[in-house]
Amino acid sequence: MTGPAWATATQGPPRRRARRLAEQWPMILVLALIWCLLWGSFAAGTVVAGLLLGALVVAVLPLPALGLNGAFRPWPATVLAARFLYDITTASFQVAWTALRPGPVPRGGVVAVELRPAPDVLFVMTAELSSLIPGSLVIEVDARAAVLYLHVLDLAASGGPEGVRAQTLHLEERVLRAFASHEDLQRAGLRPAAAEAGPGEGA
Amino acid sequence: MNLDDPDIWVAVADVAAAVFLLLGAFLTFSAGVGVVRFPNLLARMHAVTKPQVLGLILMLVGVALRLRSWPAVTMLALVVVFQLLTSPVAAHMVGRAGLRTRKVSPDELEVDDYTDKAD
């Protein structure tokens, strides 16, 4: 009997299942946090119920581990978040103005952007963010070649295909500087600045 | 004007809530106009990702400022997080399906690296 992959994964020996639970404790914490936020309370009973439910979800619906071996650098992450807020605001008002202003809608285009080699999680993060900012939308992803195909609403206003590539690579650089491990930064050709290589380096 | 008077801060929060709600409503409205006016599928997806997401966020900030209760705020924060996570994916799936099934005419695109690569 060969069931679907998820079925065989849940039927593994108990020891393997226990190890998977141990490996995926960050996921259980996140699920428990969502549970508490939904109830709007951090009472002890709610937290325990959330942890139990999180463990149940991870045990019944197993996902492959994300392989998060990145870092978290507070200052670049702040830069990323602040720039994101600024960009989504300007991008939103730009699209709003494009929609409301009289006259013809500008011509758009599909631009291929080759990103740096990076872990999948950060690649996905860059792809998600580039749908919200700058003026682009991910329509196709070639994960193996690390190429994003972006649709740009107003190609002329974004500086043409080259402008779109430059903006997206800058966005990726901000993501990598915030979350990539030291090795991944070097592999991506972004040697960390001297200040970041100091004792502040997260693990 | 007495800043220790709690009524002043209630009034400030209410006015800020009104401003956020109006801004959010404006952006959401413009997203609707964009969906109607934009010429093709891919352009329409822009309207439903950017102004719509920020419009919703601004509206919920306004609601949070008016309700001023933690259970409501945590729930609204979750809505924002899931909106940010899901809306790009939804737009991506619709856009990709449209491009692959040739629902987007190449004439409407200034540049098309995707079709150029496939040919």
Side-chain angles (χ1 to χ4, degrees):
Chain A
M1 274 280 133
T2 49
W6 57 267
T8 48
T10 49
Q11 285 154 7
R15 198 191 299 163
R16 206 164 62 201
R17 235 195 278 185
R19 200 178 58 207
R20 192 174 56 234
L21 278 183
E23 272 172 2
Q24 301 224 337
W25 62 267
M27 183 56 117
I28 297 175
L29 278 189
V30 169
L31 289 170
L33 177 69
I34 292 175
W35 179 257
C36 292
L37 291 177
L38 279 173
W39 282 101
S41 124
F42 285 89
T46 317
V47 176
V48 171
L51 287 173
L52 286 176
L53 276 170
L56 184 73
V57 169
V58 170
V60 174
L61 305 165
L63 289 169
L66 279 177
L68 265 182
N69 59 345
F72 177 75
R73 300 186 190 82
W75 174 242
T78 313
V79 170
L80 175 71
R83 188 61 202 267
F84 172 73
L85 279 180
Y86 170 78
D87 280 344
I88 194 178
T89 309
T90 50
S92 295
F93 280 98
Q94 259 166 20
V95 176
W97 172 236
T98 311
L100 295 174
R101 76 180 170 199
V105 176
R107 286 173 68 81
V110 177
V111 180
V113 183
E114 194 175 333
L115 298 178
R116 305 174 177 89
D120 282 351
V121 186
L122 300 179
F123 181 66
V124 169
M125 199 184 270
T126 310
E128 282 241 339
L129 287 178
S130 62
S131 267
L132 295 166
I133 54 169
S136 53
L137 190 74
V138 178
I139 50 167
E140 184 64 274
V141 178
D142 185 345
R144 210 172 300 164
V147 175
L148 290 181
Y149 292 92
L150 301 172
H151 179 261
V152 188
L153 183 59
D154 189 346
L155 204 55
S158 307
E162 285 313 313
V164 174
R165 287 193 191 102
Q167 281 175 14
T168 310
L169 282 170
H170 276 130
L171 169 68
E172 192 203 22
E173 183 179 338
R174 289 197 293 276
V175 171
L176 290 179
R177 285 201 190 284
F179 298 114
S181 67
H182 191 76
E183 294 75 34
D184 286 330
L185 269 180
Q186 279 178 333
R187 207 155 57 89
L190 296 169
R191 264 183 299 141
E196 287 169 355
E201 185 80 3
Chain B
M1 194 155 142
N2 177 12
L3 289 182
D4 294 331
D5 185 357
D7 288 350
I8 285 186
W9 295 110
V10 170
V12 167
D14 281 353
V15 170
V19 171
F20 277 112
L21 281 172
L22 283 172
L23 265 178
F26 165 74
L27 282 176
T28 311
F29 168 72
S30 73
V33 174
V35 169
V36 175
R37 274 199 71 206
F38 285 166
N40 58 53
L41 175 89
L42 295 178
R44 289 191 173 112
M45 297 322 292
H46 282 273
V48 299
T49 46
K50 283 164 283 259
Q52 193 276 125
V53 168
L54 186 66
L56 182 75
I57 292 176
L58 292 178
M59 293 260 236
L60 295 184
V61 169
V63 171
L65 281 171
R66 182 69 188 88
L67 288 179
R68 299 190 278 271
S69 90
W70 279 115
V73 170
T74 56
M75 182 81 83
L76 296 176
L78 272 186
V79 174
V80 170
V81 167
F82 281 106
Q83 182 76 20
L84 286 173
L85 283 177
T86 55
S87 122
V89 179
H92 166 59
M93 295 318 285
V94 175
R96 184 171 76 167
L99 205 68
R100 283 189 178 174
T101 53
R102 313 252 161 181
K103 290 285 187 295
V104 181
S105 157
D107 308 337
E108 290 168 20
L109 298 172
E110 191 80 21
V111 192
D112 188 357
D113 287 345
Y114 181 67
T115 313
D116 292 351
K117 190 205 92 175
D119 290 343

